[in-house]
CSV table of all heavy atoms in Angstrom, one decimal:
chain,number,residue,atom,x,y,z
Q,262,THR,N,0.8,-1.2,0.0
Q,262,THR,CA,0.0,0.0,0.0
Q,262,THR,C,0.9,1.3,0.0
Q,262,THR,O,0.5,2.2,-0.7
Q,262,THR,CB,-0.9,0.0,1.2
Q,262,THR,OG1,-1.7,-1.2,1.2
Q,262,THR,CG2,-1.8,1.2,1.2
Q,263,GLU,N,2.0,1.2,0.7
Q,263,GLU,CA,2.9,2.3,0.7
Q,263,GLU,C,3.3,2.6,-0.8
Q,263,GLU,O,3.3,3.7,-1.3
Q,263,GLU,CB,4.2,2.0,1.5
Q,263,GLU,CG,4.0,2.0,3.0
Q,263,GLU,CD,5.3,1.4,3.7
Q,263,GLU,OE1,6.3,1.2,3.0
Q,263,GLU,OE2,5.2,1.1,4.9
Q,264,ARG,N,3.8,1.6,-1.4
Q,264,ARG,CA,4.3,1.7,-2.8
Q,264,ARG,C,3.2,2.3,-3.7
Q,264,ARG,O,3.5,3.1,-4.6
Q,264,ARG,CB,4.8,0.4,-3.3
Q,264,ARG,CG,6.1,-0.1,-2.6
Q,264,ARG,CD,6.7,-1.2,-3.3
Q,264,ARG,NE,5.9,-2.4,-3.4
Q,264,ARG,CZ,5.9,-3.4,-2.4
Q,264,ARG,NH1,6.7,-3.2,-1.3
Q,264,ARG,NH2,5.2,-4.4,-2.5
Q,265,GLN,N,2.0,1.8,-3.6
Q,265,GLN,CA,0.9,2.2,-4.5
Q,265,GLN,C,0.6,3.7,-4.4
Q,265,GLN,O,0.5,4.4,-5.4
Q,265,GLN,CB,-0.4,1.4,-4.2
Q,265,GLN,CG,-0.3,-0.1,-4.6
Q,265,GLN,CD,-1.4,-0.9,-4.0
Q,265,GLN,OE1,-2.3,-0.4,-3.3
Q,265,GLN,NE2,-1.4,-2.2,-4.3
Q,266,PHE,N,0.5,4.2,-3.2
Q,266,PHE,CA,0.2,5.6,-3.0
Q,266,PHE,C,1.4,6.5,-3.3
Q,266,PHE,O,1.3,7.5,-3.9
Q,266,PHE,CB,-0.4,5.8,-1.6
Q,266,PHE,CG,-1.8,5.4,-1.5
Q,266,PHE,CD1,-2.2,4.2,-0.9
Q,266,PHE,CD2,-2.8,6.3,-1.9
Q,266,PHE,CE1,-3.5,3.9,-0.8
Q,266,PHE,CE2,-4.2,6.0,-1.7
Q,266,PHE,CZ,-4.5,4.8,-1.2
Q,267,PHE,N,2.6,6.0,-2.8
Q,267,PHE,CA,3.8,6.8,-3.0
Q,267,PHE,C,4.0,7.0,-4.5
Q,267,PHE,O,4.5,8.0,-5.0
Q,267,PHE,CB,5.0,6.2,-2.4
Q,267,PHE,CG,5.1,6.4,-0.9
Q,267,PHE,CD1,4.0,6.4,0.0
Q,267,PHE,CD2,6.4,6.5,-0.3
Q,267,PHE,CE1,4.1,6.5,1.3
Q,267,PHE,CE2,6.5,6.6,1.1
Q,267,PHE,CZ,5.4,6.7,1.9
Q,268,ARG,N,3.8,5.9,-5.3
Q,268,ARG,CA,4.1,5.9,-6.7
Q,268,ARG,C,3.2,7.0,-7.4
Q,268,ARG,O,3.7,7.7,-8.2
Q,268,ARG,CB,3.7,4.5,-7.3
Q,268,ARG,CG,4.1,4.4,-8.7
Q,268,ARG,CD,3.7,3.0,-9.2
Q,268,ARG,NE,4.4,1.9,-8.6
Q,268,ARG,CZ,3.8,1.0,-7.8
Q,268,ARG,NH1,2.5,1.0,-7.6
Q,268,ARG,NH2,4.6,0.0,-7.3
Q,269,LEU,N,1.9,7.1,-7.0
Q,269,LEU,CA,1.1,8.0,-7.7
Q,269,LEU,C,1.4,9.5,-7.3
Q,269,LEU,O,1.4,10.4,-8.1
Q,269,LEU,CB,-0.4,7.8,-7.3
Q,269,LEU,CG,-1.1,6.6,-8.0
Q,269,LEU,CD1,-2.5,6.4,-7.5
Q,269,LEU,CD2,-1.2,7.0,-9.5
Q,270,VAL,N,1.8,9.7,-6.0
Q,270,VAL,CA,2.2,11.0,-5.6
Q,270,VAL,C,3.4,11.4,-6.3
Q,270,VAL,O,3.5,12.5,-6.9
Q,270,VAL,CB,2.3,11.1,-4.1
Q,270,VAL,CG1,3.0,12.4,-3.7
Q,270,VAL,CG2,1.0,10.9,-3.4
Q,271,GLY,N,4.4,10.6,-6.3
Q,271,GLY,CA,5.7,10.9,-6.9
Q,271,GLY,C,5.6,11.1,-8.4
Q,271,GLY,O,6.5,11.9,-9.0
Q,272,ALA,N,4.7,10.5,-9.1
Q,272,ALA,CA,4.6,10.6,-10.6
Q,272,ALA,C,3.7,11.8,-11.0
Q,272,ALA,O,3.5,12.0,-12.2
Q,272,ALA,CB,4.0,9.3,-11.2
Q,273,SER,N,3.1,12.5,-10.0
Q,273,SER,CA,2.1,13.5,-10.4
Q,273,SER,C,2.6,14.6,-11.3
Q,273,SER,O,2.0,14.9,-12.3
Q,273,SER,CB,1.4,14.1,-9.2
Q,273,SER,OG,2.3,14.7,-8.3
Q,274,ASN,N,3.7,15.3,-10.9
Q,274,ASN,CA,4.4,16.2,-11.8
Q,274,ASN,C,5.7,16.7,-11.1
Q,274,ASN,O,6.1,16.1,-10.1
Q,274,ASN,CB,3.5,17.4,-12.2
Q,274,ASN,CG,3.0,18.2,-11.0
Q,274,ASN,OD1,3.8,18.6,-10.1
Q,274,ASN,ND2,1.7,18.4,-10.9
Q,275,HIS,N,6.3,17.7,-11.6
Q,275,HIS,CA,7.7,18.1,-11.1
Q,275,HIS,C,7.7,19.5,-10.5
Q,275,HIS,O,8.7,20.2,-10.7
Q,275,HIS,CB,8.7,17.9,-12.3
Q,275,HIS,CG,8.7,16.5,-12.8
Q,275,HIS,ND1,9.4,15.5,-12.1
Q,275,HIS,CD2,8.2,16.0,-13.9
Q,275,HIS,CE1,9.3,14.4,-12.8
Q,275,HIS,NE2,8.6,14.7,-13.9
Q,276,ILE,N,6.7,19.9,-9.8
Q,276,ILE,CA,6.7,21.2,-9.3
Q,276,ILE,C,7.5,21.3,-8.0
Q,276,ILE,O,8.2,22.2,-7.7
Q,276,ILE,CB,5.2,21.7,-9.0
Q,276,ILE,CG1,4.5,21.8,-10.3
Q,276,ILE,CG2,5.2,23.1,-8.3
Q,276,ILE,CD1,3.0,22.1,-10.2
Q,277,ALA,N,7.3,20.3,-7.1
Q,277,ALA,CA,7.9,20.4,-5.8
Q,277,ALA,C,8.6,19.1,-5.4
Q,277,ALA,O,8.6,18.1,-6.1
Q,277,ALA,CB,6.8,20.7,-4.8
Q,278,GLN,N,9.2,19.1,-4.2
Q,278,GLN,CA,9.8,17.9,-3.6
Q,278,GLN,C,8.8,17.4,-2.6
Q,278,GLN,O,8.3,18.1,-1.8
Q,278,GLN,CB,11.1,18.2,-3.0
Q,278,GLN,CG,12.2,18.7,-3.9
Q,278,GLN,CD,13.4,19.1,-3.1
Q,278,GLN,OE1,13.4,19.2,-1.9
Q,278,GLN,NE2,14.5,19.4,-3.8
Q,279,PHE,N,8.6,16.0,-2.6
Q,279,PHE,CA,7.6,15.4,-1.7
Q,279,PHE,C,8.3,14.8,-0.5
Q,279,PHE,O,9.2,13.9,-0.7
Q,279,PHE,CB,6.8,14.4,-2.4
Q,279,PHE,CG,5.7,15.0,-3.3
Q,279,PHE,CD1,5.7,14.6,-4.6
Q,279,PHE,CD2,4.9,15.9,-2.9
Q,279,PHE,CE1,4.7,15.1,-5.5
Q,279,PHE,CE2,3.9,16.5,-3.7
Q,279,PHE,CZ,3.8,16.0,-5.0
Q,280,HIS,N,7.9,15.1,0.7
Q,280,HIS,CA,8.3,14.4,1.9
Q,280,HIS,C,7.0,13.7,2.4
Q,280,HIS,O,6.1,14.4,2.9
Q,280,HIS,CB,8.9,15.3,2.9
Q,280,HIS,CG,10.2,15.9,2.5
Q,280,HIS,ND1,11.4,15.6,3.2
Q,280,HIS,CD2,10.5,16.9,1.6
Q,280,HIS,CE1,12.3,16.3,2.6
Q,280,HIS,NE2,11.8,17.1,1.7
Q,281,ILE,N,6.9,12.4,2.2
Q,281,ILE,CA,5.8,11.7,2.6
Q,281,ILE,C,6.1,11.0,4.0
Q,281,ILE,O,7.1,10.3,4.1
Q,281,ILE,CB,5.3,10.6,1.6
Q,281,ILE,CG1,5.1,11.2,0.3
Q,281,ILE,CG2,4.1,9.9,2.1
Q,281,ILE,CD1,4.6,10.3,-0.8
Q,282,HIS,N,5.2,11.3,4.9
Q,282,HIS,CA,5.4,10.8,6.3
Q,282,HIS,C,4.4,9.8,6.7
Q,282,HIS,O,3.3,10.1,7.1
Q,282,HIS,CB,5.3,12.0,7.3
Q,282,HIS,CG,6.2,13.2,6.9
Q,282,HIS,ND1,7.4,13.3,7.4
Q,282,HIS,CD2,6.0,14.3,6.1
Q,282,HIS,CE1,8.0,14.4,7.0
Q,282,HIS,NE2,7.1,15.0,6.2
Q,283,PRO,N,4.8,8.5,6.6
Q,283,PRO,CA,3.9,7.4,7.0
Q,283,PRO,C,3.7,7.3,8.5
Q,283,PRO,O,4.7,7.5,9.2
Q,283,PRO,CB,4.5,6.1,6.4
Q,283,PRO,CG,6.0,6.5,6.4
Q,283,PRO,CD,6.1,7.9,6.1
Q,284,PHE,N,2.5,7.1,8.9
Q,284,PHE,CA,2.2,6.8,10.3
Q,284,PHE,C,1.0,5.9,10.4
Q,284,PHE,O,0.4,5.6,9.4
Q,284,PHE,CB,2.0,8.1,11.1
Q,284,PHE,CG,0.8,8.9,10.8
Q,284,PHE,CD1,-0.3,8.9,11.7
Q,284,PHE,CD2,0.7,9.6,9.6
Q,284,PHE,CE1,-1.4,9.7,11.4
Q,284,PHE,CE2,-0.4,10.4,9.3
Q,284,PHE,CZ,-1.5,10.4,10.2
Q,285,THR,N,0.7,5.3,11.6
Q,285,THR,CA,-0.4,4.4,11.7
Q,285,THR,C,-1.0,4.7,13.1
Q,285,THR,O,-0.7,5.6,13.8
Q,285,THR,CB,0.1,2.9,11.6
Q,285,THR,OG1,-1.1,2.1,11.5
Q,285,THR,CG2,1.0,2.5,12.7
Q,286,LEU,N,-2.0,3.8,13.5
Q,286,LEU,CA,-2.7,4.0,14.7
Q,286,LEU,C,-2.2,2.9,15.7
Q,286,LEU,O,-2.2,1.7,15.3
Q,286,LEU,CB,-4.2,3.9,14.5
Q,286,LEU,CG,-4.8,4.9,13.5
Q,286,LEU,CD1,-6.2,4.6,13.3
Q,286,LEU,CD2,-4.5,6.3,14.1
Q,287,ASP,N,-2.0,3.2,16.9
Q,287,ASP,CA,-1.5,2.3,17.9
Q,287,ASP,C,-2.5,1.2,18.2
Q,287,ASP,O,-2.2,0.1,18.7
Q,287,ASP,CB,-1.1,3.0,19.2
Q,287,ASP,CG,0.1,3.9,19.1
Q,287,ASP,OD1,0.9,3.7,18.1
Q,287,ASP,OD2,0.2,4.8,19.9
């Protein structure tokens, strides 16, 4: 699931740099 969503965000375009911060629920 990380790869699926990260892939789409990273491929969207080249305007900015993305810092994606994964977290979950305890």
Side-chain angles (χ1 to χ4, degrees):
T262 302
E263 291 170 8
R264 293 192 295 272
Q265 290 167 2
F266 282 98
F267 282 36
R268 186 183 296 118
L269 280 175
V270 171
S273 57
N274 59 52
H275 299 284
I276 297 174
Q278 297 172 354
F279 286 128
H280 293 251
I281 303 183
H282 304 271
F284 67 108
T285 191
L286 302 175
D287 293 338

